[in-house]
Amino acid sequence: MKPILKLMFVLICFFACTFVVLKISGLLSIDAIKNWLTHAQSFNSYLVAAIIIALLVLDLFVAVPTLTLIILAGYFIGPTLGAVSAITGMLLAGLGGYWISLIYGHVLIDKLLKTEEEKSLAISNFKTRGPVVILLSRASPILPEVSACMAGMTKMPFKTFLTCWLISIIPYSIIAAYAGSISTLENPKPAIYTAIGLTGFLWLSWWAYKRLNSKTIKKLGCSIDS
């Protein structure tokens, strides 16, 4: 297994385990979150926003349904405050993952990658592909947290990470929150179509990137052979 895949596999397993545990326990089920937000809305919209932010920050440690949460934010507190809450929560989660991994990530790297060659290869691979991984990470649950941690562990320049992270979360949050704001219990179609559309677009982008990347590698191989 490639060194970079070893690191990502361990991180994915960790986040997946937390998701399974919470799913079984029901502590962070969609129904439970809806009940919290409904109760909070009776007090203050900003309390709803604070819960949204807290849950999205918690996503760094336990996998929560991010897209559903952003749509609910738009539904309960409107497109503007919903989007701002989502962006704030995901930004804090990303920064937390980056800085924690930057400081302590070497422990995992040293444990999994035994040689300096493997460590150098993992770092160089993520430096090459990392920005694209971060930009398209919202295509799949767990991948955003993994990419933020990988960026920190491999010491990606902070400006590069922050730029890619903001590009990945701002349009995503605005679109999802707006879809939630125009959805109702009687007409949930905007939220459903948005969820399908965003996920489909990001998966299609992944496919296009992999296809383009494989063609580039083949061309380089042909030029070297010739």
Side-chain angles (χ1 to χ4, degrees):
M1 186 182 290
K2 290 183 178 180
I4 191 172
L5 294 181
K6 284 184 183 179
L7 294 173
M8 295 187 74
F9 179 74
V10 170
L11 290 171
I12 288 170
C13 286
F14 168 76
F15 287 113
C17 287
T18 63
F19 175 78
V20 171
V21 170
L22 287 173
K23 192 74 174 176
I24 293 172
S25 67
L27 291 175
L28 285 178
S29 66
I30 300 299
D31 289 336
I33 293 172
K34 283 181 181 178
N35 290 335
W36 297 347
L37 297 180
T38 300
H39 187 64
Q41 191 180 34
S42 63
F43 290 96
N44 193 301
S45 295
Y46 293 105
L47 180 58
V48 177
I51 293 173
I52 295 292
I53 293 170
L55 287 171
L56 288 171
V57 172
L58 185 64
D59 189 38
L60 174 61
F61 305 100
V62 292
V64 300
T66 305
L67 180 56
T68 303
L69 195 56
I70 300 172
I71 290 173
L72 286 174
Y75 174 77
F76 279 98
I77 54 179
T80 303
L81 186 55
V84 170
S85 302
I87 292 167
T88 302
M90 288 192 288
L91 177 59
L92 291 174
L95 292 175
Y98 178 88
W99 286 109
I100 290 171
S101 299
L102 183 69
I103 297 169
Y104 300 108
H106 65 89
V107 176
L108 183 61
I109 290 178
D110 291 341
K111 194 171 186 65
L112 293 177
L113 308 180
K114 302 302 182 183
T115 66
E116 291 300 321
E117 184 181 356
E118 283 185 315
K119 295 174 186 177
S120 298
L121 184 59
I123 291 171
S124 63
N125 281 343
F126 196 79
K127 281 184 177 179
T128 302
R129 298 181 175 86
V132 176
V133 172
I134 294 170
L135 288 172
L136 301 180
S137 62
R138 298 287 157 189
S140 174
I142 299 176
L143 190 55
E145 299 81 49
V146 170
S147 65
C149 292
M150 286 294 299
M153 278 195 289
T154 56
K155 295 179 171 57
M156 175 185 283
F158 179 67
K159 286 184 179 179
T160 302
F161 167 74
L162 183 61
T163 300
C164 293
W165 191 258
L166 287 173
I167 292 172
S168 75
I169 66 173
I170 291 175
Y172 187 84
S173 299
I174 292 172
I175 294 169
Y178 176 74
S181 71
I182 60 174
S183 299
T184 62
L185 295 176
E186 295 75 23
N187 181 29
K189 288 181 180 179
I192 294 170
Y193 292 155
T194 298
I196 295 171
L198 281 173
T199 304
F201 170 76
L202 290 168
W203 271 108
L204 185 62
S205 299
W206 263 117
W207 176 82
Y209 168 72
K210 289 181 71 176
R211 188 175 177 83
L212 181 63
N213 199 44
S214 63
K215 284 184 177 180
T216 303
I217 291 171
K218 284 181 181 179
K219 285 182 181 178
L220 287 172
C222 291
S223 62
I224 291 171
D225 292 338
S226 60

